[in-house]
Amino acid sequence: MNLLIVDDQKHIRDGLQAMVSQFPQQPDSIYSAANGIEALQLLRRHSIQLVITDIRMPDMDGLELMARTREEQLTVDYLIISGYGDFAYAQKAIGLGAKGYLLKPVNREDLQASVEHVWQEIMTRQAMSRDMEQLSRLARETDRKELSLYMQGSAYDEAWIGRTEQQHPELWASYRLCLLSEERRINQPGASSAHSMESLAYSVYGSEGCLCLQRRPHLILAVDATADTGKLPEVLKAAQIAATAAITGPQQGLRALPAAYTEVQELHKHSYLFPELRCILPEKTAGLVQQWQLPHEELYALFRFIGADSGSRIAEGISMLFHKNVLQRYHIGYTERLCRAVVQMLEEYEWVIRPYMGEDALDIDPLRNLYDHPGIREYIQALQQQMLRLSQFYHEFKCSYRNSQDLNEAIRFIHENYHKPLDLAMVSNHVSLNYAYFSNLFKKNVGKGFAEYLRDVRLDKARRLLAETEYKIIEITPLVGYESYKSFTRAFREVMGMQPTEYRQMVRRKQG
């Protein structure tokens, strides 16, 4: 709430402002003017709800000020200040819509009562206006939702169709559906421009030539069929909004709306084939081939590279299958079927090695729907990533199979020769593997290094000899591959926490 005090005498303006400033309910701002001309300028520049003005002032008096604001359709309420001799002026002011008048000299109680009375009336009127606007907005939203449901296939009776057509008779007589899809970037969500796009569309077609039918997931509008189809894409580009428009051919009557919705959805899908276009019209897709055979041989050839450690050949194969010169010859259904065929083969290949993948898995679900991606380019990138992951899994699986045979032979060799001088080089040579590669392979698969594993094998044999035979410690030492009594007893104590003799005594006590 903002208030304006108008009087040609400064001490009166200051006095009124001082009184208003002491009221329990304070205005947000208090402005002041010395005459009607200054007041009118302030009313034009600021949102002011209440004016307290003297009637008689030089240049422009209070009555003329009220008349001018009415002419300029400035919404503002007035309280008039007048002297005893100005009663006739006060009556004219009431006729112009003044909410009351105060006699000079103005006392604080009368001023507060009058201001609070008008204040309450203004707030009530604003609340009613908000309620009416809310009801109007709800009614418009209900109409839009009903139209959206009808557009998507819900049944409505003839009476509803007739009533709805009459709300926008000129538009429904000849219209196009326009679907606006904002360009998206992975990991760069940004703020949606749907509201801005809708506003720009209304600015292009006018309030009578444009009607919003759907806002999510894409903005869909019914627009004047006679308007230039290229105008809206140009305006969006000028506003730096990256969006694609799919626009149907001319439609007549509300009954054509469901079929038009199907058409605009198909056009929007084709925008994936023509990412360089900002506006897709029916003539762009009219010549596309409707019948096709999927390139099964090329698909099988692509998957033969899986596990061959040939990422470049996989990338080349995908590029050939999804080359834009190929896809742009066919209806979008060809691309959809091709995507499904690739996903199906990915699933079959993954199924074979799934038991060997542990917690790892391919992320296939995002590939099931082409339209979950910003464009065909992003889909191809995601597909290539999963193909390369699958190839890597297969390569590791085959290597693991071969390595498991080598590793089993190495472990067998250790258990047969633990009593001999043995080291990592001897074992890696035995299985014909590179020293460093074998060392890493052994630790990765066995869970401990070669030296630790050999020590544990030797000490396990030593514990059995201590428990089951009468061999002396010095006799057991060479039997388990140690060169000296000292090195054997030190290793035994580090692992078992006791001397070999103590271990033998402990076992004998338990057995006895």
Side-chain angles (χ1 to χ4, degrees):
M1 289 286 191
N2 298 318
L3 182 144
L4 171 61
I5 296 171
V6 189
D7 198 294
D8 59 328
Q9 298 182 58
K10 186 177 185 304
H11 71 278
I12 293 179
R13 294 198 304 272
D14 293 344
L16 290 172
Q17 183 166 345
M19 284 191 281
V20 171
S21 299
Q22 296 174 7
F23 292 170
Q25 189 172 0
Q26 288 292 304
D28 294 312
S29 298
I30 301 175
Y31 301 93
S32 64
N35 54 53
I37 295 175
E38 291 182 14
L40 190 58
Q41 292 173 347
L42 287 168
L43 288 168
R44 288 167 178 163
R45 291 200 305 265
H46 303 284
S47 173
I48 295 172
Q49 288 72 40
L50 176 59
V51 176
I52 303 173
T53 182
D54 192 7
I55 287 184
R56 290 197 177 188
M57 293 179 294
D59 300 323
M60 182 188 290
D61 63 17
L63 293 178
E64 188 177 353
L65 173 63
M66 292 181 68
R68 291 289 298 274
T69 53
R70 176 180 285 188
E71 289 173 8
E72 296 186 21
Q73 297 183 336
L74 299 173
T75 303
V76 62
D77 287 327
Y78 283 89
L79 281 175
I80 301 301
I81 302 172
S82 65
Y84 282 106
D86 299 328
F87 186 70
Y89 285 99
Q91 285 182 313
K92 289 182 181 179
I94 297 298
L96 287 170
K99 298 298 180 181
Y101 67 93
L102 298 162
L103 292 175
K104 294 181 178 179
V106 178
N107 65 63
R108 185 181 183 281
E109 290 76 15
D110 291 342
L111 179 62
Q112 181 175 341
S114 297
V115 169
E116 288 180 351
H117 175 77
V118 178
W119 225 242
Q120 188 61 47
E121 186 176 325
I122 292 171
M123 288 192 294
T124 301
R125 191 164 64 243
Q126 288 179 340
M128 290 178 65
S129 177
R130 286 194 298 270
D131 291 343
M132 291 301 294
E133 175 59 29
Q134 176 74 358
L135 288 172
S136 177
R137 188 163 56 248
L138 289 172
R140 291 195 302 271
E141 187 65 17
T142 299
D143 291 342
R144 187 188 64 77
K145 287 180 178 178
E146 287 187 339
L147 270 170
S148 180
L149 289 171
Y150 173 69
M151 176 178 70
Q152 296 176 54
S154 296
Y156 282 86
D157 57 32
E158 290 296 316
W160 177 85
I161 292 174
R163 287 195 311 271
T164 304
E165 278 188 330
Q166 288 307 308
Q167 292 175 1
H168 301 276
E170 293 184 6
L171 177 62
W172 294 123
S174 180
Y175 65 96
R176 299 173 187 262
L177 279 196
C178 174
L179 184 153
L180 294 174
S181 173
E182 191 174 5
E183 190 174 292
R184 296 179 295 143
R185 284 287 177 264
I186 295 175
N187 298 326
Q188 294 180 357
S192 173
S193 299
H195 180 73
S196 299
M197 292 193 295
E198 184 177 345
S199 298
L200 289 171
Y202 275 97
S203 72
V204 170
Y205 296 103
S207 59
E208 297 301 318
C210 183
L211 185 64
C212 178
L213 304 177
Q214 174 184 295
R215 291 191 175 95
R216 294 177 182 171
H218 304 295
L219 183 63
I220 298 181
L221 309 162
V223 300
D224 181 6
T226 64
D228 179 7
T229 55
K231 182 64 174 175
L232 181 57
E234 289 176 4
V235 171
L236 291 172
K237 183 179 179 181
Q240 297 183 331
I241 295 176
T244 299
I247 304 178
T248 69
Q251 313 290 324
Q252 285 77 42
L254 194 59
R255 289 172 183 80
L257 185 60
Y261 177 71
T262 301
E263 180 184 350
V264 83
Q265 293 281 8
E266 283 290 301
L267 286 170
H268 166 61
K269 288 180 179 180
H270 281 88
S271 68
Y272 278 68
L273 302 182
F274 305 97
E276 69 280 1
L277 297 181
R278 283 290 169 261
C279 184
I280 304 290
L281 298 171
E283 47 265 36
K284 184 64 181 178
T285 63
L288 297 180
V289 178
Q290 302 288 325
Q291 302 293 330
W292 60 79
Q293 287 289 333
L294 288 182
H296 294 291
E297 289 301 322
E298 289 85 345
L299 270 172
Y300 296 143
L302 170 64
F303 276 83
R304 279 197 288 270
F305 294 120
I306 294 295
D309 197 22
S310 181
S312 60
R313 301 294 294 274
I314 290 173
E316 181 182 340
I318 292 174
S319 296
M320 290 179 61
L321 279 172
F322 288 89
H323 197 283
K324 71 173 184 177
N325 291 342
V326 176
L327 301 184
Q328 288 179 355
R329 292 204 303 265
Y330 297 102
H331 182 275
I332 188 65
Y334 172 83
T335 303
E336 293 173 337
R337 289 284 301 276
L338 182 61
C339 292
R340 286 199 293 271
V342 173
V343 167
Q344 184 177 354
M345 293 191 72
L346 273 172
E347 289 177 324
E348 291 174 0
Y349 270 71
E350 185 194 34
W351 182 82
V352 173
I353 61 167
R354 189 171 295 165
Y356 306 95
M357 293 171 67
E359 296 182 358
D360 292 322
L362 296 183
D363 194 12
I364 294 179
D365 282 344
L367 299 175
R368 300 186 193 283
N369 187 0
L370 167 64
Y371 308 108
D372 285 341
H373 299 261
I376 187 69
R377 182 180 302 170
E378 289 79 8
Y379 181 87
I380 294 172
Q381 289 173 348
L383 173 61
Q384 180 174 311
Q385 182 182 18
Q386 296 308 311
M387 288 282 291
L388 292 175
R389 286 192 70 208
L390 177 65
S391 183
Q392 182 64 28
F393 281 135
Y394 255 83
H395 180 70
E396 291 177 358
F397 165 66
K398 290 191 293 185
C399 291
S400 174
Y401 180 75
R402 291 194 300 267
N403 290 338
S404 64
Q405 293 179 318
D406 294 332
L407 198 60
N408 289 337
E409 173 58 25
I411 290 173
R412 186 197 64 78
F413 184 76
I414 292 170
H415 280 267
E416 286 188 358
N417 297 278
Y418 68 90
H419 57 287
K420 300 176 182 178
L422 205 58
D423 59 23
L424 182 63
M426 295 172 62
V427 180
S428 62
N429 286 334
H430 176 74
V431 292
S432 302
L433 289 177
N434 173 271
Y435 178 93
Y437 176 76
F438 176 72
S439 177
N440 291 330
L441 176 69
F442 193 96
K443 188 167 186 178
K444 179 180 178 181
N445 289 274
V446 177
K448 59 180 73 174
F450 170 82
E452 184 182 359
Y453 183 80
L454 177 60
R455 182 203 63 189
D456 290 347
V457 169
R458 285 172 168 170
L459 292 182
D460 181 61
K461 302 295 184 182
R463 287 194 297 271
R464 292 173 62 182
L465 290 172
L466 288 167
E468 299 171 4
T469 72
E470 297 297 332
Y471 288 133
K472 297 178 180 179
I473 307 301
I474 197 169
E475 294 173 326
I476 291 175
T477 296
L479 292 177
V480 293
Y482 283 93
E483 295 180 356
S484 69
Y485 173 86
K486 186 176 181 180
S487 60
F488 168 63
T489 54
R490 182 173 64 249
F492 195 96
R493 184 173 63 253
E494 287 176 355
V495 174
M496 300 301 299
M498 63 182 73
Q499 295 288 353
T501 52
E502 294 174 317
Y503 176 81
R504 172 174 274 173
Q505 291 170 2
M506 180 187 71
V507 172
R508 297 284 170 83
R509 283 196 302 269
K510 288 181 178 180
Q511 291 174 349

